[in-house]
Amino acid sequence: MPTSPKEQRFLASLQKDILEFFELNDYRSYSINQIHKAFAIRDRKTKELYADLVQKLVIENRLIRQSDGNYRFDNESFQIEGRVDHVNARFAFVIPDDGSKDVWVATADLMNAKDGDRVRVQARRPSEKKKNDRPEGEVIEILERKSFEIVGVIQVTPHYSFLIPDSKKIYEDIYIPKTETLQANHLDKVIVEVTRWGTPGKKAEGRVIKILGKAGENETEMHSILAEFGLPYEFPEMVELAAEAISTEISKEEIKKRKDLRKILSFTIDPKDAKDFDDAISYQKLANGNTEIGVHIADVSHYVKPGSILDQEAFRRATSVYLVDRVVPMLPEKLSNGLCSLRPHEDKLTFSTLLEFDPNSIIVKEWFGRTVIHSDRRFAYEEAQVLIENEGEEIDAYEPVIKDLNRIAKKLRDHRFKHGSVNFETVEVKFELDENGTPLAVFPRERKDAHKLIEEFMLMANKKVAEYVHELKKTEPRNTMVYRVHEAPDPEKLRVFSAFAKKFGYQVSTEPKQVSQSFNALMENVEGKAEEHVLQSLAVRTMSKARYSTDAIGHFGLAFPFYSHFTSPIRRYPDVMTHRLLQLYLDKGASPERAPLEIQCKHCSDREKLAADAERASVKYKQVEYMSLHEPQVFDGIITGVTEFGIFVEIGETSCEGLVRMVDLNDDYYDLDKENYRIVGKSNGRVFSFGDAVKVKVRDTNLAKRTIDLELIGMKSGGDRFGNNRIRRREGRPANVIPRGKDRRNNIGRKRR
C-alpha cells in the first residue's frame, strides 16, 4: 500500500478516472477485462492495480458488482458532506452543506461522529417501495470536529472519573484518568478537552481544562451554557485595549462630512432595562405638509474598520447573545454601551434613512447617508405606551409626535399584511430574578403599540436600504448586497400542517400564492380559542428559517422582495456589512465579489442559530429552576407534542414545557397515532391529542439536564380522571403499542425536529 502523500494522490486520481468512466457509461456494465481495454492497460501489475481500485469502489458503494461478475455505476448511491444532528440515541440526521434533503444515519453507522461534526456520508436514495423519501447512509469520514471541548458534570470515583455531558445530543460519557481531573470535586461543572475520541467498544477519553463551579449555581450554569455552545464570555485583552484606544471626541472635520441633524427632534424608545441604544427616531413636519421620519442607527462601521482586531472579533462572534440574566455583547462595552449607544443629550455619529411621508402615509422621498444626531430624550416602551393610550388632556409635549408616529406605523403595518406579510406573534417569556439569579416569577413578554411602532419603522428602513442597493444597477449581475432572506414553507410540511388544521375545522391553502393570506386568516380565526396556541406553534414550525445571503430571493414572512438588516450593527455583524456596502455604493464604488461575502453570510447565519440555541437553553434552565420551587402545585396546560415516549405539555401561566412519560400513564397501554397527533388507550379508548387542555403537577425536575417531568392529573374539562376523551376501539391488536412499565429515554430534543 502507498505511504507517501504523492502515491495517495496518484491512486485517488486513478480511482476518480475509473468512477467517471462508469458514470459516463451508466447505461451498461463492464467486466474487468473490458475495463482494462478501455484504459489501454496491458501489463499485469497495472491490471491488478485497476482491479483493486474497482473492488474498492464496490466496497465504497460507488459501483455495483452484478451476479454475472460485471460492474456498473451505482445510480442510487451518492456522497454528501454535512453536519450531524444527533436527534436521539438511536439515529441522527446529516444536514448537507448544499441544502439538499437530510440523510438518515443509524448511530451505529456514525463512525463515532458527534452532534455538530462535519462528515462525509455514503448515502443511498430510497427505493420506490418506501413511503419515506429521505435517503439513508453511513458516515465514511469525519471531516471536522465541532469542538474538542465538552461541558458537563464530573463524577469522581476513587480510581477514575467520567463526564456526563450537558448536551442532550451527546449520549456517551467521557472517561477521565485520575491524574487529569484538575482536582475537580464530585458533581462539579467542568470543561473537558477530548484527547482521544471513542471507538467501537471503547469510550472517548479526556482531561479537565476548566472547573466552572458547583452544578446548580446560577453563575456556574450560565457559564456552562456559554461553554456548551462554544460562546465566549469575555473579550481578549488585545480587543479591549483596541476599544479603549478609540477617541471619544467627534471632530469638526468628521461632522462636516455628514448631514447635521442635531437640531431635528430625535429620541429613542427601548426596554426600560436597556443599556445600549442602537436606533433612534427623528420627526419633523415639512413646509409642504409632509412628515419626514428618520431612522438613525449607530455608525459602528466608523469605529470598527475592516480587518482590524475589533472587526475580527466582531465577525468571530457575529452576534450578541442574550441569556436570561446577561448579555454577551458582540462589541466591547466602550463601543456597545458608550460610543455607539445613542444616549440622550449627546452628539452621536449615525447612519440614517430619511423617509418623507405624504398625508396618506405613503413614502414619496427617501435619503440614505452618514449623519450626526443629538437625541433629545429616552423613552421606555411603557412610557411611550402611556402617551399612545392617553385620551384625555395632553400629558407630555411629545404626545402628539408619538401618536402621529403610531398612526403612520399602523398604516405601514396594515399595508404590509394586505400585501402578504404573515402575522405571527410568538410568545417570549420574561423572568423576575433576585440578586442571586433565582427566578421569582416568569411571565409572557407583552408586545403593545409602542413596540410595534419601533418595529414597523425598523422594518421599513431595512426594506428601503435593500431596495435602494438592488435598484442602483439595473442590469445583471446586480450590486453585491447582504440580504436577510426567508424561503416559503416546505411543501410537505405545509401539506401536513394543512391536514392537521383541517381536523380543527380550518382551511389552510397549500397554493404558493395563497399561503400567507391563508395563514393570516387562520391566526385571525383562532384568536382567543382553545386551539390558538397549538395551531400558532405548529404554523411557526412549518415556516423556514430566515438567514443571510447575497442572493436576493426575498423574505416570505414579510412579503418583501428585497430586505436587509441595517438597524442593529451593535449586536449583529451582517448589519455592519450592510453599512459598509451601502457607503461603498453611495461613494460610487465598484461592487465587490459575492463569493467571500456569501461565506461570511453563512458564518453569521450559523452563529445566529448557535446564539438562539444558547438563549433557549438559558430560558429552559430558569424555567426548570422556577418549577422546581413549585412542585406541589397543580397547573393548567396544553399538550404541545405527542411521541412514542410521552406527551409534552406547556403550562399556560409560565410557558414552561415538561414531559408526561408514557411509562407513567399506568391506567392502560397507549398507541401513538402519529398521523393524527395523538395517543390512544388500547382498552379504554382514551385519547390525548395535540392541543388538549390538561391539568398537570410537577413530578421531578433535573436542572443539569434542564428537563421537567410532569404527572397528568386530568383533563381540564373535568369528568373522570382523564375527562371523557374516548374513542370506540376497533377489534384487533393496534399498532405501536407502548407496553406499560417499559421505560423510554427522556429526549426532549427529538420533539423539536
Side-chain angles (χ1 to χ4, degrees):
M1 293 295 293
T3 55
S4 73
K6 186 175 180 180
E7 289 174 304
Q8 291 174 8
R9 287 195 298 270
F10 173 70
L11 286 185
S13 177
L14 288 183
Q15 187 168 306
K16 183 181 177 184
D17 289 343
I18 294 170
L19 188 62
E20 286 178 350
F21 167 77
F22 273 95
E23 192 170 4
L24 286 169
N25 299 280
D26 61 352
Y27 56 90
R28 59 168 295 185
S29 62
Y30 294 87
S31 67
I32 285 291
N33 285 335
Q34 288 172 321
I35 295 168
H36 291 158
K37 287 179 181 178
F39 283 90
I41 307 299
R42 292 184 175 81
D43 63 286
R44 182 176 58 82
K45 285 189 176 181
T46 309
K47 286 182 177 181
E48 290 175 355
L49 175 61
Y50 269 69
D52 289 343
L53 292 174
V54 168
Q55 189 56 39
K56 189 180 178 197
L57 286 167
V58 173
I59 293 170
E60 292 176 357
N61 294 320
R62 314 296 296 281
L63 298 180
I64 294 174
R65 190 176 189 276
Q66 300 179 153
S67 57
D68 61 2
N70 287 353
Y71 300 87
R72 66 174 176 84
F73 183 72
D74 188 351
N75 287 299
E76 302 304 314
S77 292
F78 60 97
Q79 288 189 2
I80 61 101
E81 294 180 4
R83 291 212 175 263
V84 176
D85 181 10
H86 204 169
V87 293
N88 65 38
R90 294 178 289 118
F91 61 86
F93 296 110
V94 173
I95 303 167
D97 294 339
D98 62 7
S100 56
K101 193 173 286 292
D102 298 353
V103 178
W104 186 95
V105 181
T107 295
D109 294 327
L110 279 174
M111 230 175 89
N112 284 289
K114 304 301 178 194
D115 184 74
D117 290 350
R118 278 195 74 247
V119 296
R120 180 175 289 114
V121 172
Q122 183 67 45
R124 176 172 287 274
R125 294 179 180 84
S127 66
E128 294 181 1
K129 296 178 181 178
K130 283 194 173 184
K131 293 181 181 178
N132 186 359
D133 63 349
R134 192 187 301 277
E136 298 180 8
E138 61 179 316
V139 173
I140 57 175
E141 184 181 357
I142 297 173
L143 302 172
E144 176 191 350
R145 291 287 186 180
K146 175 186 177 183
S147 176
F148 283 81
E149 296 178 4
I150 297 177
V151 183
V153 175
I154 190 171
Q155 299 203 355
V156 180
T157 73
H159 303 293
Y160 62 89
S161 301
F162 53 93
L163 182 83
I164 308 297
D166 277 359
S167 173
K168 296 183 181 72
K169 294 188 175 185
I170 299 178
Y171 304 94
E172 306 85 24
D173 51 27
I174 297 167
Y175 170 78
I176 304 169
K178 187 177 181 181
T179 57
E180 300 288 356
T181 64
L182 216 61
Q183 298 185 325
N185 294 318
H186 184 60
L187 301 184
D188 273 353
K189 274 283 178 82
V190 300
I191 302 176
V192 164
E193 179 185 58
V194 177
T195 54
R196 181 182 56 78
W197 293 100
T199 55
K202 199 164 187 178
K203 289 183 182 293
E205 188 173 315
R207 64 186 184 94
V208 176
I209 59 172
K210 188 165 187 176
I211 300 171
L212 297 172
K214 186 177 179 181
E217 293 180 349
N218 182 70
E219 205 63 19
T220 298
E221 296 300 334
M222 292 300 111
H223 280 165
S224 73
I225 287 171
L226 292 172
E228 177 185 343
F229 292 95
L231 298 166
Y233 48 86
E234 58 187 6
F235 285 97
E237 184 180 3
M238 292 297 291
V239 174
E240 292 280 16
L241 290 173
E244 289 302 320
I246 300 174
S247 172
T248 58
E249 299 296 321
I250 300 175
S251 68
K252 292 180 179 178
E253 290 75 17
E254 184 60 39
I255 291 176
K256 286 179 182 178
K257 298 176 186 176
R258 298 166 177 263
K259 185 185 281 278
D260 192 342
L261 303 175
R262 287 178 292 177
K263 293 183 179 179
I264 307 295
L265 175 66
S266 303
F267 50 88
T268 60
I269 306 179
D270 290 281
K272 61 182 176 181
D273 56 353
K275 293 182 179 179
D276 60 75
F277 317 108
D278 57 359
D279 57 73
I281 296 286
S282 68
Y283 177 96
Q284 69 169 330
K285 285 290 186 181
L286 302 177
N288 62 4
N290 290 343
T291 305
E292 182 185 81
I293 296 172
V295 176
H296 310 288
I297 310 302
D299 191 0
V300 173
S301 61
H302 171 77
Y303 298 103
V304 180
K305 303 301 184 184
S308 67
I309 191 168
L310 281 168
D311 185 52
Q312 292 173 41
E313 181 67 14
F315 174 68
R316 185 174 74 87
R317 295 179 177 226
T319 182
S320 296
V321 184
Y322 294 83
L323 303 188
V324 166
D325 68 337
R326 69 195 67 198
V327 177
V328 182
M330 184 180 81
L331 297 169
E333 185 175 359
K334 182 173 181 180
L335 286 163
S336 57
N337 293 352
L339 289 171
C340 297
S341 184
L342 308 184
R343 297 180 298 205
H345 315 304
E346 296 180 14
D347 290 351
K348 291 293 180 179
L349 300 181
T350 47
F351 216 132
S352 302
T353 300
L354 300 180
L355 303 173
E356 184 178 330
F357 291 84
D358 70 12
N360 295 316
S361 300
I362 295 171
I363 296 172
V364 294
K365 190 177 179 182
E366 57 194 50
W367 179 90
F368 309 95
R370 282 184 153 138
T371 55
V372 56
I373 70 163
H374 186 96
S375 176
D376 298 286
R377 183 165 168 181
R378 181 217 164 178
F379 282 96
Y381 283 122
E382 293 81 0
E383 293 171 321
Q385 189 64 33
V386 168
L387 301 185
I388 290 171
E389 294 177 357
N390 182 44
E391 294 180 355
E393 186 177 339
E394 189 177 298
I395 58 176
D396 191 298
Y398 283 77
E399 186 177 319
V401 173
I402 298 291
K403 284 185 172 178
D404 196 36
L405 286 170
N406 188 52
R407 177 189 64 80
I408 296 171
K410 285 187 172 182
K411 289 279 187 74
L412 294 176
R413 184 177 172 86
D414 290 344
H415 182 271
R416 185 160 56 82
F417 289 140
K418 184 179 178 181
H419 287 79
S421 186
V422 181
N423 185 14
F424 281 153
E425 293 282 354
T426 54
V427 177
E428 294 182 39
V429 295
K430 190 174 182 180
F431 293 85
E432 180 186 338
L433 306 175
D434 68 12
E435 65 276 8
N436 298 315
T438 303
L440 303 176
V442 54
F443 44 88
R445 192 186 298 270
E446 281 191 291
R447 269 176 44 82
K448 295 188 175 180
D449 283 348
H451 299 82
K452 295 173 184 177
L453 180 161
I454 291 297
E455 178 183 76
E456 223 43 64
F457 287 114
M458 297 304 119
L459 289 175
M460 185 54 65
N462 288 334
K463 176 189 177 188
K464 286 298 180 180
V465 165
E467 288 178 347
Y468 172 77
V469 172
H470 188 267
E471 294 304 314
L472 270 177
K473 186 182 176 187
K474 303 293 186 181
T475 58
E476 299 295 339
R478 301 271 183 156
N479 285 327
T480 300
M481 185 57 172
V482 173
Y483 295 101
R484 181 69 167 174
V485 300
H486 183 226
E487 286 96 342
D490 177 75
E492 178 58 22
K493 286 184 179 180
L494 189 59
R495 185 195 64 77
V496 172
F497 175 68
S498 177
F500 181 72
K502 197 171 184 178
K503 298 177 191 299
F504 288 86
Y506 301 104
Q507 296 292 326
V508 175
S509 175
T510 57
E511 290 296 320
K513 293 182 179 180
Q514 299 174 17
V515 170
S516 56
Q517 289 89 343
S518 186
F519 269 44
N520 286 341
L522 174 67
M523 295 303 107
E524 189 176 332
N525 290 334
V526 301
E527 188 174 357
K529 297 180 182 176
E531 61 269 22
E532 176 184 6
H533 178 80
V534 177
L535 288 172
Q536 188 175 73
S537 176
L538 264 184
V540 170
R541 295 182 208 176
T542 302
M543 303 291 282
S544 303
K545 302 296 182 194
R547 58 186 175 85
Y548 299 104
S549 176
T550 56
D551 288 324
I553 61 174
H555 195 293
F556 171 81
L558 294 172
F560 292 163
F562 309 106
Y563 186 68
S564 66
H565 267 175
F566 168 79
T567 52
S568 293
I570 288 179
R571 63 184 179 91
R572 296 187 306 222
Y573 192 80
D575 300 55
V576 180
M577 296 166 66
T578 294
H579 282 210
R580 289 172 178 165
L581 288 168
L582 177 56
Q583 188 60 53
L584 174 70
Y585 299 133
L586 290 171
D587 293 337
K588 311 298 183 184
S591 178
E593 289 186 26
R594 285 180 55 185
L597 287 174
E598 185 63 33
I599 292 170
Q600 290 182 322
C601 287
K602 175 71 165 58
H603 167 78
C604 291
S605 297
D606 291 343
R607 296 297 294 182
E608 179 184 64
K609 182 181 182 304
L610 207 62
D613 290 343
E615 289 162 17
R616 278 193 292 270
S618 78
V619 169
K620 184 68 177 178
Y621 177 81
K622 286 300 172 190
Q623 287 176 322
V624 175
E625 185 180 6
Y626 178 80
M627 296 304 291
S628 71
L629 306 174
H630 297 77
E631 294 188 16
Q633 277 185 250
V634 174
F635 296 93
D636 291 335
I638 295 287
I639 294 177
T640 55
V642 289
T643 72
E644 61 186 15
F645 51 83
I647 306 167
F648 289 96
V649 176
E650 184 174 296
I651 295 168
E653 64 186 80
T654 64
S655 296
C656 302
E657 188 178 64
L659 177 71
V660 178
R661 293 173 180 268
M662 197 75 81
V663 66
D664 294 329
L665 294 175
N666 52 20
D667 65 307
D668 199 356
Y669 295 89
Y670 283 87
D671 309 333
L672 173 64
D673 182 358
K674 193 174 181 180
E675 288 297 313
N676 292 297
Y677 296 86
R678 64 184 186 177
I679 60 170
V680 182
K682 175 189 174 186
S683 302
N684 58 29
R686 288 193 182 100
V687 179
F688 299 104
S689 299
F690 200 114
D692 282 350
V694 294
K695 290 183 177 292
V696 293
K697 186 166 69 174
V698 175
R699 185 186 186 94
D700 187 32
T701 56
N702 188 322
L703 282 169
K705 292 185 176 180
R706 303 191 282 271
T707 58
I708 302 170
D709 281 357
L710 299 173
E711 179 184 350
L712 191 63
I713 302 302
M715 306 300 289
K716 190 176 177 181
S717 57
D720 61 25
R721 182 182 173 220
F722 296 122
N724 295 311
N725 278 23
R726 299 174 186 270
I727 63 170
R728 190 180 300 279
R729 302 295 309 187
R730 297 178 188 172
E731 293 296 321
R733 180 179 175 83
N736 299 322
V737 172
I738 309 298
R740 186 190 309 153
K742 186 171 182 180
D743 198 7
R744 297 284 187 182
R745 184 179 177 91
N746 178 13
N747 181 4
I748 289 179
R750 173 179 174 159
K751 177 187 89 68
R752 303 199 182 278
R753 292 293 303 164

